[in-house]
Amino acid sequence: MVEQVQQRVVFDDLEIGEIAVELDDKEPQDVIAWALETFGDRIAVVTALQAEGMVVLDMAYRLKPDIRVITVDTGRLPQETYEFLDRVREHYPDARFEVLFPDYREVEVMVRKHGVNLFYKAVPLRLLCCHIRKVRPLLRALQNLDAWFTGLRREQWASRANIKKVELDHDHGGIVKVNALADWTKEEVWDYIRANNVPYHPLYDKGYTSIGCAPCTRSIQPGEDDRAGRWWWETNAPKECGIHCPIETGGFEHEVHAILGEAHGHLEEK
Ligand code: SF4
């Protein structure tokens, strides 16, 4: 059997800007339907299995049960996340799940240089860990996509306040980023989850409002911002891992290059 390979679907800034205007007052399901029709198998739901990602997955699954779903196992996830992933796979049996892992050589070099809990020592080292364990595996996956679904919402954090429902992702090769829930509130997300029996991560019932790796996530106190439980020991640092916004810290990029070079033997060759 000859396998059909779908052509790449590419937009420029002007085109995607016009589509973003058209879609801006549309419901998330309409945005997702447009994206599935436009990109077919060249789009995937990229999710860390948080509430928003589960809503997007649920909506996409109803339209295209064999939807691709990409998630990253950083190696430091809470046990609850692993158990939840199994539940999600059972709940959406036709979806095609892809669990990505970091490059073990890069992790080995990083841990040898900085220790296994480097993220507590300094913001650049935390960003380095996020980069090696989370961002780089995703970069590999995004290279083979023309678009990706995110669960981003404008009200989540200052760096997300201006996102469009569809936009070009210039940090990842100019593919299209589909933020179908951009204008939803947290209440709308949870209303959808309850109304549609969408599975949700068990740590939400323990006071967590944003869930990532075990050593870098905790529950929040009353009155705290929803993302306050992520990297809570840091002050004046972005509550981002680097996948959704370019992060300039100085002293981080150089370290990334050194680790990549050593991990892949380039330094020895010189
Ligand atoms: S959240 Fe923490 S453990 Fe996970 S990749 Fe980032 S720094 Fe590393």
Side-chain angles (χ1 to χ4, degrees):
M1 196 177 84
V2 178
E3 199 178 323
Q4 293 278 331
V5 178
Q6 189 180 332
Q7 294 282 321
R8 285 212 63 186
V9 184
V10 180
F11 289 94
D12 63 28
D13 277 306
L14 192 63
E15 292 166 332
I16 212 68
E18 287 172 357
I19 295 166
V21 171
E22 278 172 33
L23 293 177
D24 199 53
D25 61 353
K26 295 283 190 290
E27 295 297 320
Q29 290 92 338
D30 298 328
V31 177
I32 290 171
W34 171 83
L36 290 173
E37 199 176 310
T38 304
F39 297 105
D41 261 350
R42 304 281 306 168
I43 189 167
V45 177
V46 177
T47 177
L49 309 179
Q50 298 197 60
E52 289 82 359
M54 291 308 303
V55 169
V56 172
L57 165 54
D58 191 83
M59 289 176 174
Y61 189 83
R62 287 166 195 266
L63 294 166
K64 181 175 165 46
D66 66 342
I67 182 75
R68 292 174 66 186
V69 183
I70 295 175
T71 192
V72 177
D73 179 355
T74 63
R76 301 298 299 261
L77 299 177
Q79 179 60 16
E80 288 89 342
T81 301
Y82 294 109
E83 289 165 8
F84 182 54
L85 177 57
D86 279 345
R87 269 183 55 210
V88 173
R89 294 178 80 133
E90 282 169 23
H91 194 88
Y92 301 103
D94 296 323
R96 288 172 290 159
F97 286 86
E98 301 166 37
V99 181
L100 309 180
F101 294 88
D103 183 313
Y104 74 91
R105 292 162 297 188
E106 295 168 12
V107 174
E108 282 180 4
V109 174
M110 176 180 75
V111 169
R112 189 165 68 236
K113 284 189 166 183
H114 298 294
V116 77
N117 289 324
L118 69 167
F119 29 80
Y120 294 135
K121 295 178 185 170
V123 172
L125 291 180
R126 189 275 283 178
L127 291 169
L128 178 71
C129 184
C130 282
H131 193 80
I132 298 285
R133 288 189 183 273
K134 199 176 332 184
V135 175
R136 282 182 54 75
L138 272 178
L139 289 178
R140 285 202 311 270
L142 294 178
Q143 279 171 0
N144 296 315
L145 294 174
D146 294 339
W148 56 309
F149 288 114
T150 80
L152 298 183
R153 293 186 295 108
R154 290 176 187 144
E155 66 168 26
Q156 276 170 322
W157 194 248
S159 58
R160 301 179 176 183
N162 296 318
I163 58 171
K164 305 274 190 297
K165 290 191 180 171
V166 293
E167 56 191 11
L168 283 196
D169 187 349
H170 289 293
D171 294 324
H172 302 116
I175 66 172
V176 175
K177 200 164 167 178
V178 181
N179 309 311
L181 303 183
D183 59 358
W184 266 28
T185 62
K186 182 174 155 185
E187 287 68 34
E188 286 175 291
V189 169
W190 284 98
D191 285 349
Y192 182 93
I193 286 174
R194 281 186 284 267
N196 295 283
N197 289 321
V198 177
Y200 65 89
H201 198 297
L203 286 180
Y204 284 110
D205 287 338
K206 294 187 176 172
Y208 287 66
T209 47
S210 179
I211 300 159
C213 293
C216 301
T217 310
R218 66 159 167 70
S219 57
I220 63 167
Q221 302 299 316
E224 279 189 315
D225 184 274
D226 273 0
R227 282 180 75 78
R230 305 293 293 275
W231 311 292
W232 67 90
W233 62 91
E234 294 180 354
T235 52
N236 296 325
K239 299 285 188 192
E240 300 280 7
C241 63
I243 197 72
H244 289 303
C245 70
I247 293 174
E248 292 164 22
T249 63
F252 154 63
E253 291 81 2
H254 170 78
E255 188 65 27
V256 169
H257 286 297
I259 283 178
L260 300 188
E262 190 173 336
H264 298 281
H266 300 148
L267 291 183
E268 285 92 315
E269 288 165 14
K270 286 185 180 165

